[in-house]
Amino acid sequence: MSLLVFIPMYNCAPQIPRVVAQFDNPAVKPWVDAIVCIDNRSTDGTVEAAAAALADAPVPTRVILQNDENYGLGGSHKVAIEFAMANDYDHLVVLHGDDQGSITDLVPMLEAGAHEDVDFLLGARFLPGSQLENYSTVRTLANHLFNWIFSAVSGRRLHDLGSGLNLFGVDRFADGFHRRFADDLTFNYYLILALAARNERLAFFPLTWREEDQVSNARLGRMGLKMLALLGRRLADRRGFFQAEHRERPRASYPATEFSRWSG
């Protein structure tokens, strides 16, 4: 197995050194072949902070890419998926750069061989066994509500619609089913609905999730309206929804420029 960890970054200079430090853990080291940090045009020195942290990280290959434009979180996912496919990685782990989640939560699943039995391992903040630190009651209740609604619409029990720690089987994206999904923060909602509709093999695992000095780019009310709108489109056109164009600005490609690379 070859495993690439994708770290999306946007204005997380204070947190990214802590995220990179997670790879010093002896339990993590045997599993990770490469890290690709993908910066979405940060303005606070995130790229420089990541470069300083990655220079001595105990991972064989470390790369920093900078999107040529701000593509949004979903757009950065598409850059990472293309990078993983182009470089023949079997699995892609998404670990957000704001240090809310810990990659160590994935290790027990890898040790148990869960990644061999399913194609998508999805971290779930609201699964029994998960721990939430400083996570607001309002956000918790809203997430439980939307988890229930999305489960009802998809016909499959969904414990989280998109946390910051997930594992994807890279070959499952070969047909490009994800490319027309929105490039913004709603990308994960389109993705989870598609996985359910495609009957993909997926499993959820518990997380420890914390809020300390992170700055969220998601506004609860506005995000809730977007989620209801996409669910409405899904219900209105069950057959055509996943073939439709959901991006505000369709792109033929998502170019990114290499900022730094280390090997060995």
Side-chain angles (χ1 to χ4, degrees), residues 195-216:
L195 299 186
R198 290 162 61 96
N199 293 315
E200 296 284 359
R201 300 185 304 162
L202 60 89
F204 293 89
F205 63 95
L207 297 177
T208 299
W209 198 256
R210 58 189 174 273
E211 288 196 352
E212 297 173 349
D213 56 351
Q214 296 87 358
V215 178
S216 176

Side-chain angles (χ1 to χ4, degrees), residues 55-67:
D56 297 315
V59 175
T61 300
R62 292 142 282 151
V63 180
I64 297 176
L65 299 179
Q66 200 165 30
N67 292 338

Side-chain angles (χ1 to χ4, degrees), residues 147-156 193 231-232 234-235 238:
N147 288 346
W148 181 84
I149 295 173
F150 271 68
S151 296
V153 170
S154 68
R156 193 160 182 177
L193 288 172
L231 282 173
R234 169 75 170 94
L235 289 170
R238 287 184 174 272

Side-chain angles (χ1 to χ4, degrees), residues 125-170:
R125 294 161 291 179
F126 313 102
L127 195 68
S130 293
Q131 299 181 44
L132 300 178
E133 300 176 4
N134 300 321
Y135 202 78
S136 77
T137 301
V138 173
R139 283 184 177 274
T140 299
L141 292 174
N143 275 280
H144 278 295
L145 175 61
F146 276 103
N147 288 346
W148 181 84
I149 295 173
F150 271 68
S151 296
V153 170
S154 68
R156 193 160 182 177
R157 184 68 175 95
L158 305 176
H159 296 280
D160 202 319
L161 304 180
S163 74
L165 179 61
N166 296 302
L167 179 145
F168 303 151
V170 175

Side-chain angles (χ1 to χ4, degrees), residues 77-92:
H77 274 71
K78 294 170 189 178
V79 174
I81 291 167
E82 290 299 320
F83 183 90
M85 290 193 292
N87 291 277
D88 297 322
Y89 289 101
D90 298 321
H91 293 87
L92 177 67

Side-chain angles (χ1 to χ4, degrees), residues 14-30:
Q15 296 87 21
I16 194 62
R18 303 199 305 257
V19 176
V20 174
Q22 294 183 25
F23 296 91
D24 289 329
N25 189 318
V28 174
K29 289 180 183 179

